[in-house]
Amino acid sequence: MTAACAKPGVRSSTGWTRGRRRDMMRAMQQRPDTLVTYAITAVVLAIVLAIRWRRTGRALPLRIERLWILPAILGVAVIASFASAPPHGIAWLFCASAMLLGAALGWQRGRMMRIDVDPVTHRLSQTSSPAALVLILAIVVLRQAARAEGAAVLHLDPIALSDMLLALAFGLIAAQRLEMFLRARRLLREAIPR
């Protein structure tokens, strides 16, 4: 390499600057780790979806008195996370928007769950639909895309992005459970004669 090419920003005979070549080498070194991460995520996701798909269409008991437990646990995790490292500035708006989006998706997912009341015993059962599973798959794919590109596009740091995803998950779980609770309670009232 000539002395002129050793200076930053000066092109070599290949058309690459020294800094650009170094950045490309770093990207090539990081790519296998990223591919392994995506491969592991895909395998785990495939296993979880296979297990969930087998349960789809099968009636499972629904205990409405326990529907609050998971949102409460997740709510405590969100509060603890926000208390230890609160979002700054516009990140609060993004977190609130993510929670509202999660609530809308959760309400829709809750509506996709079939709830039945046994006419004799008045026991509730739930059956998840394939559409609810597809919705969860779409959310996971969007989450992966947000992790890969979302922080750069929205000019957010990874912590703010994880706060948004945590808010989205809380909104999704809480709204789904609330919709199921309200509908199950209404179905029980209609099934019990007065």
Side-chain angles (χ1 to χ4, degrees):
M1 205 184 256
T2 65
C5 291
K7 292 180 185 174
V10 177
R11 292 187 180 267
S12 68
S13 60
T14 61
W16 291 89
T17 62
R18 186 176 208 187
R20 193 167 175 197
R21 186 179 295 142
R22 183 179 57 240
D23 292 343
M24 183 62 121
M25 292 302 289
R26 283 186 189 155
M28 288 172 57
Q29 291 170 350
Q30 291 175 353
R31 180 170 279 168
D33 294 341
T34 305
L35 292 176
V36 168
T37 302
Y38 283 130
I40 290 171
T41 303
V43 168
V44 169
L45 185 61
I47 291 170
V48 169
L49 286 175
I51 292 169
R52 298 279 302 192
W53 190 262
R54 286 183 46 201
R55 290 183 184 175
T56 301
R58 207 184 297 169
L60 300 171
L62 175 65
R63 292 176 174 69
I64 60 172
E65 65 275 3
R66 294 184 186 171
L67 286 175
W68 66 272
I69 295 173
L70 186 58
I73 292 170
L74 194 53
V76 168
V78 168
I79 291 170
S81 174
F82 283 11
S84 66
H88 298 287
I90 198 162
W92 279 110
L93 178 64
F94 284 123
C95 288
S97 299
M99 190 165 64
L100 290 175
L101 176 64
L105 292 171
W107 193 270
Q108 185 59 35
R109 184 168 190 262
R111 288 183 57 216
M112 291 179 188
M113 305 292 264
R114 181 177 172 171
I115 299 175
D116 294 314
V117 180
D118 185 296
V120 177
T121 63
H122 298 137
R123 290 193 181 188
L124 294 164
S125 63
Q126 67 177 357
T127 308
S128 63
S129 71
L133 190 60
V134 170
L135 180 64
I136 289 296
L137 177 62
I139 291 169
V140 169
V141 169
L142 285 173
R143 180 182 179 272
Q144 289 295 3
R147 281 183 59 199
E149 300 295 330
V153 171
L154 298 174
H155 303 292
L156 295 172
D157 63 355
I159 293 174
L161 185 62
S162 67
D163 287 344
M164 288 170 42
L165 293 173
L166 196 57
L168 177 91
F170 174 71
L172 184 115
I173 299 291
Q176 175 190 349
R177 297 296 177 103
L178 178 62
E179 195 283 334
M180 291 174 67
F181 172 79
L182 294 173
R183 190 160 39 106
R185 195 174 62 175
R186 180 177 47 83
L187 289 171
L188 270 176
R189 268 194 240 124
E190 292 171 359
I192 296 175
R194 294 184 185 221

